[in-house]
């Protein structure tokens, strides 16, 4: 679930397994190879873990990138928060955590960290009202519902 459409539905972006952000023209089905040509596109959602507005999702509690995997990203509908779900690496003493950031998530962004899953967080999403987040664990088969308090 790392695909997003532009607000007008004309362009699709997706992140691949080798950490490339790819773009396609929806009508023609052709890949857009010049990323600069889509740099100002407004995106309806943001679930890709790559791109300028989510540069900091790999950061830990010190605002520096840590050696962990980010499996899922979701921007709030209000476009002021972004949440990510991670692997079993330890960040701030937590394992299998979710990280909540302000959006856009800059290079030195420091997340609020929340732990609880016994396995990697494999998916994460804001509910329609942005007042709750749902995270899904991998091999622990858990679903957590988190309240968002601003």
């Amino acid at each position: 679930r790392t695909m997003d459409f532009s607000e007008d539905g004309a362009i699709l972006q997706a992140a691949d397994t080798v950490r490339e952000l790819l773009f396609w023209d929806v009508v023609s089905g052709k890949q857009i190879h010049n990323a600069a040509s889509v740099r100002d596109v407004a995106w309806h959602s943001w679930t890709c873990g790559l791109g300028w507005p989510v540069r900091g999702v790999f950061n830990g509690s010190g605002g520096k990138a840590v050696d962990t995997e980010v499996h899922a990203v979701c921007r709030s509908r209000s476009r002021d928060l972004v949440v990510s779900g991670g692997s079993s690496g330890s960040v701030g003493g937590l394992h299998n955590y979710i990280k909540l950031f302000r959006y856009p998530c800059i290079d030195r962004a420091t997340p609020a960290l929340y732990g609880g899953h016994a396995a990697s967080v494999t998916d994460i999403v804001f509910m329609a009202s942005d007042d709750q987040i749902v995270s899904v664990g991998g091999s622990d088969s858990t679903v957590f519902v988190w309240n968002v308090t601003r």
Side-chain angles (χ1 to χ4, degrees), residues 75-81 103 126-130 150:
R75 181 190 68 197
S76 63
R77 285 166 178 74
S78 59
R79 300 174 185 226
D80 63 339
L81 297 172
Y103 181 87
F126 277 91
M127 298 301 287
S129 61
D130 284 344
R150 295 174 184 266

Side-chain angles (χ1 to χ4, degrees), residues 10-84:
I11 301 171
L12 174 72
Q13 73 172 354
D16 69 7
T17 57
V18 294
R19 293 188 176 178
E20 290 180 303
L21 190 55
L22 307 170
F23 305 94
W24 288 270
D25 178 284
V26 173
V27 173
S28 70
K30 293 185 179 186
Q31 187 173 356
I32 300 169
H33 295 284
N34 180 4
S37 69
V38 295
R39 69 176 171 222
D40 295 325
V41 169
W43 297 98
H44 177 69
S45 61
W46 198 285
T47 62
C48 290
L50 305 172
W52 287 108
V54 293
R55 292 185 312 267
V57 296
F58 293 92
N59 291 358
S61 58
K64 294 182 182 176
V66 293
D67 188 23
T68 59
E69 289 292 322
V70 171
H71 301 296
V73 172
C74 185
R75 181 190 68 197
S76 63
R77 285 166 178 74
S78 59
R79 300 174 185 226
D80 63 339
L81 297 172
V82 64
V83 66
S84 68

